[in-house]
Amino acid sequence: MARERVEVSLTINGRTYRDRVESRLLLCDFIRHVAGLKGTHVGCEHGVCGACTVLIDGRTARSCLHFAAAVEGSAITTVESLATEAALHPIQQAFHESHALQCGYCTPGFLLTTVELLGRNAAPTTEEIRQALTNNMCRCTGYANIVKAVGVAAAAMRGDGAAKA
Amino acid sequence: MTEALHTGYIGRDILRREDSYLLRGQGKFVDDLPEPRDTIYLGFVMSPYAHARIRSIDASRARALDGVIDVLTGEDLAELTDPIVTEIDFPGYIRHGRPVLALGKVRFVGEQVAVVLAEDRYIAQDAVDLVEVEYEPLPVAADLETAHLDGAPQVHDHIPNNTIFSARFETKGFDPAPAAATHSIRERFRSGRVAGVPLEPRGCLAMPDHTADAIVFYSSTQVPHILRTALGKHIKGASESKIRVIVPEVGGGFGTKAQIYTEEVVAAALALKLRRAVKWIQDRREELLTSIHARDHLYEVEAGFDGQGVIHMLRVRLHTNAGAYSSLPFGCTLEPTGGARMIVGPYRIRNYAYQAYAIATHTCPSGAYRGVAQPTCFLTIEGVMDRIGRQLGIDPAEVRLRNMIQPEEMPWVNAVGVRYDTGSYVASLKRAMEMIGYAGFRARQPADRLADGKYRGIGICSFTEISGTGAPGWRARGLIRMPGFDSALIKIEPTGKVTAYISHANAGQAHYTTFAQVVADAVGADIADVTIVEGDTGATPYGTNTFASRSAVTGGGAILRAGRKVREKMRRIAGQMLEAAADDIEIREGWAEVRGVPGMRVSLTQIAETAYSMNNLGLPPGEDYGLEASDFYDPPLATMANAVHICTVAVDPEDGRVKVENHVVVHDCGRVINPVIVDGQVQGGAAQGLGEALMEELVYDREGQLQNANLLDYLLPTALDMPDIRIEHIESPTIDGEGGFKGVGEGGLIGAVPAIANAVADALAPLGCNVNRIPLRPSYVLGLIRAATGR
Ligand code: FES
Ligand code: FES
């Protein structure tokens, strides 16, 4: 079996990674093994669970459904970009305060889905939140606290302190 | 919450310590660990047949592939390992072995027949496809209800009628037809086959350590100590002392990862032999085909009761599907003995008999998934309560109350000899009814029923939840190799900081937070000074580990016992330092103080310096150096939690869809350590329960092919499926065990399943539909409605 290799260059969280990889290398594997960013998790490898969700040019995508070579030149955002050394991103902070994670395996995917949601809708209703989260699976939390966290994050990012309580 | 229960850190909503790194994507799950460049990646060749003889295996094409190191078969692995045998000491259990790779025969689709060793995971998968196995297909017994009939194909030659386990029991003087039982019901209840489906599939990484004949074995497991013992036992020539099991972050367990799997034995054996790192990460299809399955039970039940709805006789015959092999360590007896022993629940049932069977089939082995037998046994008894109500025209909640163990009857010893020390059965049911507005719903129900074209119903599940099982509980179920205890080693370091080594392993339960709360209270430390170490057999004392709602009970109990010893020593030292009697010393949040003399105090750090001989104070006479203690805790037979779930549903007769509209839970797990974490357990469990009741089902066809080994076809609940669940707690601390703690891991799931099924049954009762099987998928519900209405 000939294993074709191609030169791929991707910008992940603002930094460019370049490597000769197999043309069939999945984006999630590029992120995890070439760039070494292990925060992007793989739960099904067939596009259903959402654990591998990243942003490609600002839009959510399942990194297990793309070949790295096919998104050559794109800007990828992963969970590692959200927090600074000192502080969590407001969405992460809201997840923490709302007890929105247990094992944490699904969490990076939910965080990036929330980044996208709150980017286009600063004040989503509970129904809109549930709708937006429906493509990410969590087997631990039963979603209640994730839904709550997204609402808390939205309020915090709007600077609406009252809704934080 | 009562004051006395919650004076320190226990009982408080303390935010999780785990979050900061998990939220940043810095959690190290097994596939995230750095591996050496020469790591060998494993790929398993799985049988496409449910039952077949292996005629030949030709790996020449796979071996020729660039990057393939070797391909090994069952014969090769038989030289390195012994077959896995689940030792269960129970009359009626038939022992059998499972080679780590199939030898001669395969018995379920997905059983591993060969293993590829390759330089990366992609190549391993390519090579798996190139291994040519010639099979001779054999007849298949995949179905629970027919596999035990005469003439069914046999899974194991020495197990007639595939009856791998059978047991019978009657209460003393059992009377099948007592005079008081003027009415009776016979019914059957059937549960579908489901699985835990943790979001992170299984995997392991075996790393040789510097002494070269030892390994560090990283595994996504819930049971590091049990795993280490199993590896030491099943790998020929291995020494348990030269295996260290470390549990990295685990992406959900739910019992699925509380089993010992053949792939782990293979990976460890190869790493020991080859002295190279060996890694295996499974994909989702493999996960669904080979990680333990659960449920697939049939209950045939008969109840005799009087005109008031009071049960005077209960008899069940139950069959569970064991799959092709008894899984390790729980075996095939866990579900039948569990269901038969727990079905009496919070009810005053004295005259009881059961027959319980585990049936081997050509399907994936079953094991201990969250809730184990309880969702189906409570589906059964709670379904019986509803049917009694319908037959007699008595409200089903009232039927339950009439049969329930009353507060003044506690402690209670149930029909199979399990003691319920404390509980809040009546209070929990009444409170849940208030929370959901039970009476109001019933009053509105006839009008609401089809107001928007939908049928509406309400369903109750009132249940006991077995948790924190100790050695006597495992022995009663034949599990002679299951220890029961867990342990804690608490050290106050010379600087006064506290390190606690616990035998458990975390898979999302937030042990680093909750155990820190218990340790801080136990020794009187500031919680910020407490560090928890667990999931590492090289560091922590032995234990039974984390499954079956055990960690709060057994880990919490062990911490309290070890903490008491450390605290006593600190009081003696502080007493000398403060020139007071040890009995007069109180220790809290990092300070030891003479009772009633504020300011007469020394810090834990000062006490520790004295204990470690780092000042010139000297120890009290006869006192040893150091400031640490370890202890074990083996709880009684069982620690009984209880809860009530009530939910309302709308059933759409157009498409058969069920929507859970309201769901309330009153939960009693004794003394609560961290309320928000307890609520999270209940909410997460309830989602799995909703899945089990309404959508999840692993479907095997007659040939034993799993039809839906992917997450598109095996449906998991999403955020849109879940109602907002309201949860309240009643705390009835256990008086039989340490600390008042009862377990909480499984109740959310257990209660949701019967509550939802009963609500659907209630909604469709006016049509005459009999709802007695789950999952209630839209097509099935639609079929029920059509059959009843003749549409
Ligand atoms: S791993 Fe990509 S969607 Fe599941
Ligand atoms: S927290 Fe475990 S899968 Fe979501």
Side-chain angles (χ1 to χ4, degrees):
Chain A
M1 217 175 292
R3 287 194 285 268
E4 194 198 332
R5 286 188 175 260
V6 289
E7 176 90 16
V8 174
S9 156
L10 294 177
T11 304
I12 307 178
N13 305 332
R15 186 172 151 193
T16 302
Y17 298 84
R18 202 184 309 274
D19 199 1
R20 275 190 76 74
V21 301
E22 284 191 51
S23 52
R24 62 175 175 169
L25 186 78
L26 296 174
L27 175 58
C28 56
D29 286 335
F30 188 100
I31 293 169
R32 291 174 51 77
H33 301 301
V34 177
L37 297 168
K38 306 284 180 81
T40 299
H41 299 151
V42 175
C44 70
E45 286 176 293
H46 53 258
V48 187
C49 74
C52 66
T53 302
V54 297
L55 304 181
I56 303 181
D57 297 327
R59 303 206 41 192
T60 52
R62 281 149 202 258
S63 59
C64 74
L65 288 186
H66 295 268
F67 293 118
V71 293
E72 159 78 25
S74 303
I76 313 289
T77 308
T78 71
V79 65
E80 285 88 350
S81 72
L82 298 181
T84 64
E85 194 72 3
L88 293 174
H89 185 282
I91 297 173
Q92 291 169 314
Q93 188 62 29
F95 270 59
H96 175 52
E97 285 165 13
S98 307
H99 186 42
L101 60 155
Q102 290 183 25
C103 78
Y105 200 75
C106 67
T107 310
F110 276 96
L111 293 172
L112 291 159
T113 298
T114 307
V115 168
E116 182 188 57
L117 168 68
L118 299 186
R120 64 178 152 76
N121 181 353
T125 64
T126 303
E127 208 43 42
E128 286 168 340
I129 294 171
R130 284 188 183 273
Q131 195 72 51
L133 298 181
T134 193
N135 290 322
N136 290 73
M137 286 173 175
C138 174
R139 193 60 163 161
C140 297
T141 64
Y143 305 102
N145 291 340
I146 300 179
V147 173
K148 188 165 127 198
V150 175
V152 170
M157 288 166 73
R158 289 193 307 267
D160 176 357
K164 242 192 138 178
Chain B
M1 286 177 204
T2 56
E3 266 306 296
L5 286 180
H6 303 301
T7 48
Y9 295 103
I10 293 177
R12 282 167 44 190
D13 281 334
I14 297 206
L15 286 176
R16 285 164 39 110
R17 294 179 163 190
E18 292 81 352
D19 289 357
S20 143
Y21 61 88
L22 289 171
L23 284 163
R24 291 168 188 261
Q26 290 168 339
K28 288 275 169 279
F29 297 86
V30 65
D31 194 26
D32 305 337
L33 299 168
E35 65 228 20
R37 272 186 181 277
D38 69 343
T39 298
I40 297 171
Y41 295 82
L42 302 185
F44 287 89
V45 179
M46 299 190 294
S47 170
Y49 290 99
H51 192 201
R53 220 179 301 283
I54 302 170
R55 281 238 187 86
S56 64
I57 299 177
D58 178 0
S60 52
R61 286 179 61 212
R63 277 210 190 85
L65 191 68
D66 194 22
V68 171
I69 298 156
D70 205 350
V71 178
L72 302 174
T73 65
E75 280 75 17
D76 301 320
L77 263 296
E79 287 174 14
L80 303 178
T81 60
D82 289 321
I84 290 177
V85 177
T86 307
E87 295 174 77
I88 296 172
D89 182 19
F90 213 103
Y93 170 69
I94 305 178
R95 270 182 203 220
H96 55 283
R98 175 179 178 186
V100 296
L101 292 180
L103 267 177
K105 249 188 180 189
V106 288
R107 295 184 174 87
F108 69 97
V109 171
E111 184 167 3
Q112 299 84 358
V113 298
V115 60
V116 168
L117 289 67
E119 283 167 8
D120 83 29
R121 193 171 169 230
Y122 282 62
I123 298 171
Q125 282 176 4
D126 290 341
V128 162
D129 294 337
L130 294 176
V131 175
E132 288 162 33
V133 186
E134 198 188 331
Y135 296 95
E136 175 191 336
L138 297 168
V140 171
D143 167 48
L144 168 68
E145 297 188 38
T146 52
H148 59 91
L149 303 179
D150 289 343
Q154 266 180 234
V155 180
H156 299 276
D157 293 339
H158 68 296
I159 304 181
N161 292 74
N162 294 317
T163 305
I164 200 165
F165 169 71
S166 61
R168 285 166 173 272
F169 168 86
E170 289 185 350
T171 48
K172 205 160 172 274
F174 174 72
D175 180 355
T182 49
H183 298 65
S184 71
I185 276 172
R186 275 169 183 276
E187 184 59 273
R188 49 184 272 142
F189 292 89
R190 188 78 166 87
S191 57
R193 174 181 278 246
V194 298
V197 197
L199 207 62
E200 178 210 29
R202 294 187 289 114
C204 56
L205 169 64
M207 302 258 261
D209 87 357
H210 61 280
T211 60
D213 59 350
I215 54 166
V216 180
F217 192 75
Y218 297 91
S219 182
S220 186
T221 184
Q222 298 168 241
V223 288
H225 292 283
I226 307 267
L227 172 60
R228 176 173 181 247
T229 301
L231 294 176
K233 241 179 169 163
H234 288 96
I235 299 170
K236 288 189 171 146
S239 159
E240 186 175 356
S241 323
K242 291 188 185 295
I243 300 168
R244 172 176 174 190
V245 174
I246 297 181
V247 183
E249 291 301 315
V250 172
F254 317 119
T256 300
K257 295 176 182 170
Q259 330 282 320
I260 311 306
Y261 288 97
T262 49
E263 301 97 334
E264 293 174 299
V265 181
V266 171
L270 292 176
L272 279 166
K273 179 177 144 79
L274 303 172
R275 298 182 179 185
R276 270 171 76 174
V278 174
K279 179 169 177 175
W280 170 71
I281 302 292
Q282 72 176 174
D283 67 21
R284 183 55 66 184
R285 177 165 172 272
E286 231 176 337
E287 202 279 322
L288 288 164
L289 282 169
T290 66
S291 296
I292 56 104
H293 293 175
R295 325 298 190 239
D296 198 355
H297 301 165
L298 169 64
Y299 282 65
E300 293 162 290
V301 60
E302 192 184 343
F305 51 98
D306 62 28
Q308 301 304 305
V310 175
I311 294 175
H312 296 280
M313 189 283 296
L314 185 74
R315 182 152 65 173
V316 294
R317 190 164 81 120
L318 67 100
H319 287 86
T320 65
N321 191 337
Y325 301 96
S326 219
S327 53
L328 192 70
F330 305 107
C332 61
T333 60
L334 194 70
E335 298 214 279
T337 60
R341 291 171 60 82
M342 295 166 196
I343 191 168
V344 291
Y347 301 116
R348 208 190 294 107
I349 294 170
R350 290 275 188 220
N351 188 33
Y352 170 59
Y354 69 73
Q355 295 171 41
Y357 305 93
I359 305 302
T361 61
H362 292 111
T363 62
C364 175
S366 70
Y369 167 43
R370 197 177 202 175
V372 185
Q374 297 164 99
T376 323
C377 81
F378 290 114
L379 176 73
T380 301
I381 191 69
E382 291 297 276
V384 165
M385 293 292 165
D386 282 10
R387 280 162 177 77
I388 292 173
R390 285 200 280 276
Q391 194 182 113
L392 298 175
I394 303 173
D395 187 276
E398 179 59 27
V399 175
R400 285 169 173 80
L401 287 168
R402 289 180 188 179
N403 282 286
M404 211 165 249
I405 300 159
Q406 299 297 309
E408 63 275 14
E409 291 173 302
M410 299 294 284
W412 177 266
V413 177
N414 80 3
V416 298
V418 176
R419 179 177 141 98
Y420 304 169
D421 61 346
T422 59
S424 54
Y425 315 131
V426 172
S428 294
L429 177 53
K430 289 191 167 161
R431 180 65 196 132
M433 290 169 70
E434 280 167 23
M435 281 169 71
I436 203 155
Y438 187 85
F441 182 91
R442 281 284 181 228
R444 283 192 314 276
Q445 192 177 16
D448 268 6
R449 190 158 257 142
L450 283 173
D452 56 358
K454 293 182 179 144
Y455 293 98
R456 284 199 165 66
I458 191 163
I460 303 172
C461 179
S462 159
F463 63 104
T464 47
E465 174 191 355
I466 192 165
S467 75
T469 304
W474 295 121
R475 299 305 168 267
R477 292 162 80 177
L479 294 172
I480 43 168
R481 298 285 182 192
M482 188 63 70
F485 69 85
D486 275 290
S487 52
L489 163 61
I490 300 178
K491 291 185 184 175
I492 316 280
E493 311 290 2
T495 51
K497 305 293 182 196
V498 184
T499 318
Y501 302 83
I502 321 289
S503 59
H504 277 283
N506 185 52
Q509 302 93 333
H511 286 172
Y512 294 111
T513 308
T514 53
F515 283 155
Q517 292 175 257
V518 182
V519 170
D521 281 1
V523 301
D526 183 328
I527 195 168
D529 290 338
V530 177
T531 298
I532 301 296
V533 176
E534 60 165 33
D536 179 353
T537 65
T540 66
Y542 205 89
T544 312
N545 308 161
T546 311
F547 54 86
S549 309
R550 315 177 34 86
S551 51
V553 177
T554 64
I559 290 168
L560 293 179
R561 291 166 72 113
R564 217 170 279 147
K565 292 183 184 170
V566 174
R567 183 190 275 264
E568 285 317 307
K569 182 163 183 178
M570 289 196 291
R571 291 173 76 192
R572 293 193 298 270
I573 297 172
Q576 169 168 295
M577 293 170 78
L578 295 166
E579 294 175 357
D583 286 349
D584 291 333
I585 302 292
E586 280 181 343
I587 305 179
R588 182 180 310 156
E589 293 183 29
W591 292 92
E593 191 169 76
V594 181
R595 186 180 302 121
V597 193
M600 276 281 282
R601 61 179 200 172
V602 287
S603 68
L604 251 58
T605 310
Q606 292 169 298
I607 299 173
E609 283 167 0
T610 307
Y612 286 94
S613 189
M614 292 185 178
N615 55 26
N616 52 19
L617 294 178
L619 283 166
E623 204 72 71
D624 267 333
Y625 290 118
L627 199 47
E628 63 178 70
S630 67
D631 211 335
F632 303 91
Y633 179 52
D634 186 16
L637 194 99
T639 310
M640 276 293 172
N642 65 275
V644 173
H645 286 228
I646 305 184
C647 68
T648 64
V649 299
V651 184
D652 189 333
E654 294 305 316
D655 58 11
R657 274 176 198 280
V658 175
K659 175 88 191 151
V660 179
E661 296 188 312
N662 263 299
H663 192 141
V664 302
V665 178
V666 176
H667 200 277
D668 187 343
C669 58
R671 186 179 179 204
V672 171
I673 296 173
N674 185 324
V676 4
I677 284 168
V678 166
D679 286 355
Q681 287 291 315
V682 174
Q683 286 160 342
Q688 288 176 316
L690 182 137
E692 184 165 339
L694 297 179
M695 58 187 82
E696 295 180 36
E697 185 171 23
L698 291 159
V699 180
Y700 279 98
D701 69 11
R702 294 158 63 96
E703 296 306 315
Q705 294 292 337
L706 184 56
Q707 301 293 294
N708 53 347
N710 64 70
L711 294 184
L712 270 179
D713 300 311
Y714 184 82
L715 295 180
L716 299 180
T718 70
L720 274 182
D721 297 308
M722 291 308 297
D724 275 325
I725 299 175
R726 280 176 295 141
I727 303 167
E728 283 189 11
H729 299 280
I730 293 178
E731 290 180 272
S732 308
T734 178
I735 52 174
D736 285 355
E738 286 284 350
F741 311 129
K742 298 176 178 178
V744 68
E746 298 164 279
L749 191 162
I750 297 165
V753 172
I756 294 169
N758 283 343
V760 175
D762 184 55
L764 301 182
L767 297 177
C769 297
N770 189 25
V771 177
N772 63 354
R773 64 156 297 159
I774 51 171
L776 295 162
R777 302 184 66 158
S779 56
Y780 178 72
V781 172
L782 200 56
L784 284 178
I785 296 172
R786 292 215 167 125
T789 56
R791 279 206 297 155

